Amino acid sequence: MSQIAENLALIRQKIRKAAQSAGRAQEAVQLVAVSKKQPPERITAALTAGQRLFGENRVQEAQDHWTDLKARDPAITLHLIGPLQTNKVRDAVALFDVIETLDRESLADALAAEMIRQNRFLPCFIQVNTGAEPQKAGVLPENLPALLNYARGKGLSVTGLMVLPPMREPPALHFALLKKLAARHDLPELSMGMSADFEKAVPLGATYVRVGTALFGNRD
Ligand SMILES: *Cc1c(COP(=O)(O)O)cnc(C)c1O
């Protein structure tokens, strides 16, 4: 078994245990394998081990990694988990299956127009900046209702929320806040938890955990 296959089995087992002890179905939590800055042979190893759901944070790099692989295997699903510039929206809509990082009205405008143009309607999550960090992407919690209304008014299918908690704070507080916001707005999907803390995100309601280094090893 490759190292990546071993890591994958271990992560899946941890997700299963965390779900079980929280009384959640293990199928309720999906693993997004974050393949950014990883060499192609590690991506191949993850595919060989059966992983089909991946996350990338840059459009250009995702095209390099995934254009050919996705053409050959339609079961591969790709989430955009990094900030999206308006001038990359065309490529993003063509390649990705879920946009996790909707965070402003101008992006909602561009995504809605492009999805109509391509006749390709992707679910979107709104990224919430729960720590109100000035350098970080995401909408402030108090501005979430307005952005949600706006995006839906444009015809976007917003199905969840995503968070990247501040580095120096206990992530559980931010996971709990995201869960509360999602419940308030009837949003079923919660993308939260990474290599260091995905087991904490599962009992707090994560439906997607985004795991990079624990699966693939350190990035370039
Ligand atoms: C890189 C990244 C991850 C994965 O981080 P790891 O600590 O390597 O698991 C998750 N989410 C986002 C938004 C990322 O950019």
Side-chain angles (χ1 to χ4, degrees):
M1 212 183 349
S2 77
Q3 183 63 56
I4 285 172
E6 267 179 47
N7 295 345
L8 183 62
L10 188 67
I11 292 164
R12 288 192 181 289
Q13 184 183 42
K14 285 178 173 172
I15 292 173
R16 188 162 57 239
K17 281 192 178 151
Q20 260 166 12
S21 35
R24 301 185 62 208
Q26 70 178 89
E27 310 81 54
V29 189
Q30 297 202 58
L31 171 64
V32 179
V34 179
S35 48
K36 68 182 185 200
K37 299 202 185 90
Q38 296 289 353
E41 60 272 18
R42 294 190 191 166
I43 292 176
T44 308
L47 285 165
T48 304
Q51 181 67 23
R52 287 296 178 277
L53 171 55
F54 294 86
E56 290 277 354
N57 71 337
R58 286 166 178 272
V59 176
Q60 168 87 61
E61 188 192 352
Q63 286 176 315
D64 295 344
H65 276 164
W66 293 104
T67 303
D68 292 349
L69 290 170
K70 274 192 108 207
R72 269 182 267 150
D73 183 350
I76 293 172
T77 302
L78 208 53
H79 285 209
L80 178 65
I81 62 170
L84 180 54
Q85 259 124 46
T86 316
N87 63 353
K88 297 280 171 60
V89 162
R90 183 154 297 182
D91 290 340
V93 169
L95 179 68
F96 287 93
D97 300 287
V98 175
I99 306 292
E100 292 202 11
T101 49
L102 174 60
D103 65 352
R104 58 196 190 279
E105 291 185 355
S106 59
L107 182 57
D109 288 338
L111 282 169
E114 190 56 32
M115 287 183 197
I116 289 168
R117 207 187 71 88
Q118 296 188 28
N119 194 28
R120 198 175 139 73
F121 299 94
L122 314 182
C124 300
F125 303 169
I126 292 179
Q127 182 175 356
V128 186
N129 186 354
T130 56
E133 295 172 282
Q135 83 288 2
K136 194 167 274 179
V139 68
L140 294 173
E142 60 266 34
N143 297 332
L144 171 63
L147 180 59
L148 184 59
N149 277 337
Y150 186 88
R152 286 182 166 161
K154 290 283 162 182
L156 290 178
S157 164
V158 182
T159 58
L161 300 178
M162 179 270 212
V163 72
L164 199 58
M167 264 169 20
R168 273 175 268 282
E169 289 179 30
L173 296 175
H174 297 271
F175 298 158
L177 174 56
L178 201 72
K179 180 183 177 169
K180 201 170 88 181
L181 292 170
R184 187 179 297 161
H185 297 288
D186 253 331
L187 294 163
E189 309 294 355
L190 281 174
S191 174
M192 56 191 200
M194 316 199 296
S195 290
D197 52 25
F198 69 90
E199 287 159 285
K200 293 194 180 94
V202 170
L204 290 167
T207 60
Y208 292 96
V209 293
R210 309 179 307 266
V211 178
T213 47
L215 173 60
F216 290 107
N218 287 330
R219 288 181 278 270
D220 286 352

